[in-house]
Amino acid sequence: DSFKAAGYQTAMIGKWHLGNTIEQHTPNARGFDHFYGHFNTDVSYFDHTFAGGHDFQENGKSVNHQGEYATDIHGDQATRYIKELRDPDKPFFMYVPFLAPHSPVQ
């Protein structure tokens, strides 16, 4: 919220892992204008599932990248945000926690 108050656009791409069962705990409710990623830490790198459910989304809508490596998706989506989604006339803050350092090791 501090970045937004200073005129920044805010984006979070990658692993959230700070709560997802209550909407107020999700990235878009916690100060990020744009979210692309997953809520759970250890989703499968290639089918993006956790505990039998699909966990990859853009601003609350499920997205499918079946077979694509999650860390590559994070990088591609960060690039997409910079080149296509943000207003180039305004400053931005983007947080990108990659899945790569976490299990499962794939």
Side-chain angles (χ1 to χ4, degrees), residues 1 3 7 12 21-22 30 35 40 43 47 49 58 63 67 80-81 89 92 96 99 101:
D1 290 334
F3 282 103
M12 193 250 154
T21 57
I22 301 171
R30 303 298 296 169
F35 171 64
N40 294 287
V43 299
D47 70 8
T49 58
E58 181 171 17
V63 293
R80 175 179 162 243
Y81 179 79
D89 295 326
F92 71 96
V96 186
L99 179 62

Side-chain angles (χ1 to χ4, degrees), residues 2 5 8 12 18 21 23 26-27 30 34 36 53 56 60-62 70-71 73 86 89-91 93 97-98 106:
S2 296
Y8 282 73
M12 193 250 154
L18 292 173
T21 57
E23 187 174 343
T26 62
R30 303 298 296 169
H34 180 75
Y36 199 108
F56 234 80
K61 295 181 181 169
S62 183
T71 299
I73 296 167
R86 71 180 184 93
D89 295 326
K90 294 182 181 178
F93 170 79
F98 288 100
Q106 297 178 321

Side-chain angles (χ1 to χ4, degrees), residues 6-28:
Y8 282 73
Q9 301 162 92
T10 57
M12 193 250 154
I13 297 165
K15 168 189 72 78
W16 177 242
H17 196 222
L18 292 173
N20 65 315
T21 57
I22 301 171
E23 187 174 343
Q24 295 90 337
H25 295 170
T26 62
N28 294 115

Side-chain angles (χ1 to χ4, degrees), residues 36-65:
Y36 199 108
H38 46 93
F39 288 145
N40 294 287
T41 299
D42 52 356
V43 299
S44 169
Y45 281 78
F46 292 98
D47 70 8
H48 320 116
T49 58
F50 177 81
H54 183 75
D55 185 13
F56 234 80
Q57 63 166 285
E58 181 171 17
N59 297 318
K61 295 181 181 169
S62 183
V63 293
N64 187 356
H65 292 278

